[in-house]
Structure formats: C-alpha cells, structure tokens
C-alpha cells in the first residue's frame, strides 16, 4: 500500500512537470490539485465529498464560485481555491478566498497554485479568515516534519478542533520565532531594556543600554552554540554509549604547522547542525589546510560544502559553492554568522544527495 509520504513525493514530481507544461488553471487542477485532494483521502469523483465550482453567494454578488468545497459527513470542512501554477500567490487571491470564507461553515481554506499550498483558518476572529496562513506547504521543497503536519488534513484523521488548536499554536510559534530571530540579529531597545532590568541594578539609560546590547547579543549567540553542542553530543553519543565531555573532530596537525582552531571547530559544528536536516552528520566532515578549513560531504574533496577562512587575525570569510562548484567568498564577523547562509549550504549538500 502506498504511504502518505510516497503520495506526496509523487505530487512533488507532478508539480515539477506541471511547472514546465501546465499553462492554465484547469491544467494545474488536473495535474496537481485534484491528485493533492485525492492524496488527502477524498474521493474526487464523489460529489458528496468533493464539490467543484461550489456557489458561495456574497451579499448582492450572485454566482460567486469556489473551485472546490471538501465535505465530511455532509458538512463543508474545507474550501480550496486553485490558481495556475505560474501564478504567484498573493493579496488578490487571498481577498477572493477571504470573501468566500465567511459565507460557509468551513473553518479551513486552502489557496494553492500546485506549487505551494497556503492553509488559513479563523484563529483571530470567528468566521473571519485570518490574514496570514498558519501553515504553508511547498510541493517541490519540503521535509518530513512538514509532510507530517500536512497529514493532519487527511480525511481518515481529520479533527477540526485539534487542527484549529495546532493552527493557533503554529501562528504564535511563527510570530515568536520571527521576533527572536530579529533579536538574535540585532536586539532592539525594548528587548535590551527587558533583559537589562534582570542583570543591571539601576536605571537603564541610553548609555547603559548601548553598553549592554553587545553583551546581550553575545549571550544569545552563546546560548545557541550551547544548544547546538548539546544536540550534537546526543546525536554522536546515541542511546547506549557514555557521553563524552566534549564532542569535537580530531584536530589535524602536521609538520607544516596546520592546527584547527576553536573557531574553526565551532564553524564546523554549525555547518553540521545546518546539514543535520538533510543527512546524517557523520557524512559532514572537515579537512584543515594552511589557508582554509574545508567542510566536505563524505570526506570527499570533490564534494565541498563550504570553506572557512578564519586564519586572518582581522577578517573572516565563508566560502560558499554554487551548483557548478564555483566558490564565492562572503565576509562574516563571527562563526554564528554562518547561519545566515544556511540556505546556500543546504543547496550545496542537496546537490550531492540527489546526484
């Protein structure tokens, strides 16, 4: 029996083909959107489950139609608005679906172009569709956790209360993550004062705030490093081996005086943490040299992930490779800045995993 993950991977291939060949909304529906609804466990040929061109009259506007109304036990559970795959999802399509939402009993709405699916609910105000999706799914680029989240919408396990609860949690988690990421990059005055009141006696004046800001930013970086180290230690250790006091690769030294520095080790751990989503971390290896420290896939110098140029006492650079293995160097201030280039590092790794 085909698993849900296998069905989604088939959809990913359909989406890639459709992006090249589907020129209309109808072609997109046939190639991707109907198979997507079917993958969720609904019978697209049964009008009691999937009702195409569902009429949703809005005030004086008559004959307004939603592309699909998905029904469970005779009640409309979800609305699906389809767009051509070459159409970028945005405000216009959102406004259209927003109008449909409040005239039905549905509490879920999906806006999709066959490349992405945006999931909306009414967590902010009952029977009024939220302005932002609580979950987005990329048919062509997703991980197992996202597929697991998508599985909530299958007919066999559809539970609207738990979905709405999860939607609310996801919304607040996403907002909190965005806020904390901003503070990691550049703590604002309010955040500095909030932390400052816990660590400084007396008023938080402008001069005190300016003094505390770099210390708070450094503390945030340290927390992230410690969390990564803890997670990598658990991964290296496994369930049965005793925990080492410190997890680090072997430091290479030879007669030429090559020595791996603490910052290079930190950079290596960060690259491993970025790559852990795509491959076992033991496939991500390090080779140090005089001029740079190379991070490789499978200890193969023909599979460079990135390079760390940390030997200069004044500047640091990160070498990033494109699909043709052409290197571009970008300046960074500290090893933690490697996270800003996680997408490029993942892309380099992905090329070797699909080769």
């Amino acid at each position: 029996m085909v698993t849900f993950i296998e069905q989604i991977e088939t959809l990913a291939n359909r989406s890639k083909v459709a992006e090249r060949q589907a020129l209309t909304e109808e072609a997109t529906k046939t190639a991707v959107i109907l198979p997507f609804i079917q993958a969720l466990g609904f019978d697209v040929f049964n009008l009691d489950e999937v009702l195409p061109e569902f009429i949703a009259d809005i005030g004086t506007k008559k004959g307004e139609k939603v592309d699909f109304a998905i029904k469970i036990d005779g009640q409309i559970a979800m609305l699906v608005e389809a767009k051509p795959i070459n159409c970028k999802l945005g405000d216009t399509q959102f406004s259209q679906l927003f109008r449909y939402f409040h005239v039905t009993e549905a509490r879920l709405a999906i806006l999709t172009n066959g490349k992405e699916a945006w999931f909306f609910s009414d967590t902010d105000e009952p029977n009024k569709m939220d302005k932002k999706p609580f979950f987005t799914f990329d048919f062509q680029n997703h991980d197992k956790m996202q597929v697991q989240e998508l599985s909530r919408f299958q007919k066999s396990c559809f539970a609207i209360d738990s979905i709405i609860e999860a939607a609310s949690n996801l919304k607040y988690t996403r907002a909190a993550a965005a806020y904390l990421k901003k503070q990691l990059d550049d703590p604002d005055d309010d955040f500095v004062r909030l932390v400052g009141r816990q660590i400084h006696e007396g008023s938080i004046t402008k001069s005190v705030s300016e003094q505390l800001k770099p210390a708070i930013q450094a503390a945030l970086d340290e927390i992230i490093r410690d969390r990564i180290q803890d997670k990598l230690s658990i991964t290296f250790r496994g369930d049965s081996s005793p925990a080492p006091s410190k997890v680090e690769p072997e430091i290479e030294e030879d007669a030429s005086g090559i020595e791996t520095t603490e910052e290079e080790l930190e950079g290596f751990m960060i690259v491993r943490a970025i790559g852990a989503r795509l491959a076992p971390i033991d496939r991500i290896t390090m080779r140090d040299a005089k001029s740079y420290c190379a991070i490789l896939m499978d200890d193969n110098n023909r599979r460079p992930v990135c390079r760390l140029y940390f030997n200069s006492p004044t500047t640091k650079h990160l070498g990033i490779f494109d699909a043709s293995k052409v290197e571009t160097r970008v300046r960074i201030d500290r090893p933690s800045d490697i996270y800003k280039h996680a997408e490029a590092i993942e892309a380099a790794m992905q090329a070797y995993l699909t080769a």
Side-chain angles (χ1 to χ4, degrees):
M1 185 177 180
V2 179
T3 66
F4 183 65
I5 292 177
E6 290 170 336
Q7 288 178 299
I8 298 304
E9 291 311 305
T10 299
L11 276 174
N13 294 328
R14 284 178 171 271
S15 179
K16 291 173 184 176
V17 173
E19 191 172 20
R20 297 192 301 268
Q21 300 181 11
L23 303 179
T24 65
E25 181 179 311
E26 290 304 315
T28 304
K29 288 179 185 177
T30 301
V32 186
I33 298 174
L34 281 170
F36 169 53
I37 295 172
Q38 198 163 33
L40 293 178
F42 297 94
D43 185 350
V44 297
F45 303 107
N46 183 351
L47 296 180
D48 289 330
E49 290 192 11
V50 181
L51 191 59
E53 298 295 310
F54 175 72
I55 296 175
D57 290 337
I58 306 167
T60 58
K61 284 191 173 185
K62 303 298 180 183
E64 291 279 302
K65 295 179 180 179
V66 185
D67 287 304
F68 300 101
I70 311 298
K71 302 171 76 174
I72 296 178
D73 297 329
Q75 301 294 317
I76 297 176
M78 291 186 284
L79 301 177
V80 180
E81 182 65 16
K83 297 300 171 186
I85 200 163
N86 56 5
C87 172
K88 187 176 180 179
L89 299 183
D91 292 341
T92 301
Q93 295 82 6
F94 164 82
S95 298
Q96 189 178 16
L97 189 56
F98 182 90
R99 296 197 307 271
Y100 299 152
F101 189 87
H102 80 278
V103 297
T104 72
E105 67 266 32
R107 296 195 64 193
L108 290 173
I110 303 173
L111 178 62
T112 179
N113 59 3
K115 187 176 180 181
E116 296 178 278
W118 294 6
F119 291 76
F120 297 87
S121 187
D122 57 352
T123 59
D124 291 333
E125 189 175 336
N127 204 34
K128 185 177 181 180
M129 195 174 87
D130 298 335
K131 293 182 179 180
K132 293 183 179 180
F134 67 85
F135 174 59
T136 60
F137 186 79
D138 189 324
F139 287 98
Q140 299 180 19
N141 184 20
H142 51 263
D143 57 33
K144 289 184 179 180
M145 291 296 293
Q146 290 165 326
V147 174
Q148 184 176 350
E149 191 63 38
L150 183 66
S151 69
R152 288 177 177 271
F153 304 95
Q154 293 180 96
K155 180 186 174 184
S156 60
C157 60
F158 191 91
I160 189 61
D161 290 339
S162 63
I163 289 174
I164 299 300
E165 181 181 358
S168 181
N169 291 337
L170 282 170
K171 179 182 69 174
Y172 291 121
T173 300
R174 184 175 62 242
Y179 172 75
L180 292 174
K181 184 179 186 301
K182 181 178 180 297
Q183 303 314 314
L184 281 168
D185 294 337
D186 185 22
D188 59 33
D189 292 340
D190 289 339
F191 187 80
V192 171
R193 282 193 293 270
L194 174 66
V195 178
R197 283 194 290 268
Q198 310 302 315
I199 61 176
H200 175 77
E201 293 183 4
S203 301
I204 308 295
T205 63
K206 184 176 181 180
S207 61
V208 170
S209 178
E210 289 175 352
Q211 182 181 359
L212 290 175
K213 184 173 180 177
I216 291 172
Q217 190 165 21
L220 291 172
D221 289 340
E222 184 176 343
I223 290 169
I224 297 298
R225 285 198 300 271
D226 289 346
R227 294 283 296 234
I228 292 169
Q229 185 68 45
D230 288 345
K231 288 183 180 294
L232 288 176
S233 296
I234 292 170
T235 304
F236 280 130
R237 184 168 71 245
D239 293 332
S240 56
S241 303
S245 58
K246 184 175 182 181
V247 178
E248 58 183 37
E250 181 181 353
I251 296 177
E252 292 186 21
E253 290 188 21
D254 59 25
S256 301
I258 297 173
E259 181 175 350
T260 305
T261 67
E262 286 295 323
E263 284 191 318
E264 287 171 333
L265 287 172
E266 182 181 344
F268 173 55
M269 291 297 187
I270 289 172
V271 174
R272 275 192 157 183
I274 292 170
R277 189 175 68 85
L278 300 177
I281 58 173
D282 58 4
R283 293 187 61 185
I284 306 169
T285 58
M286 179 176 70
R287 287 192 198 178
D288 206 354
K290 274 190 174 182
S291 56
Y292 60 81
C293 179
I295 313 296
L296 310 169
M297 279 289 289
D298 304 317
D299 201 24
N300 186 337
N301 59 15
R302 294 184 180 181
R303 295 187 166 194
V305 175
C306 64
R307 288 176 178 172
L308 310 178
Y309 296 88
F310 288 2
N311 293 333
S312 168
T314 57
T315 59
K316 295 181 179 65
H317 289 85
L318 175 68
I320 298 173
F321 293 89
D322 63 16
S324 301
K325 299 183 183 178
V326 175
E327 182 184 11
T328 301
R329 295 190 193 184
V330 294
R331 182 168 178 172
I332 60 176
D333 296 322
R334 57 185 70 87
S336 60
D337 288 345
I338 294 172
Y339 283 111
K340 298 176 182 179
H341 306 280
E343 187 174 341
I345 291 171
E346 288 183 344
M349 287 185 58
Q350 193 69 53
Y352 306 132
L353 296 174
T354 57

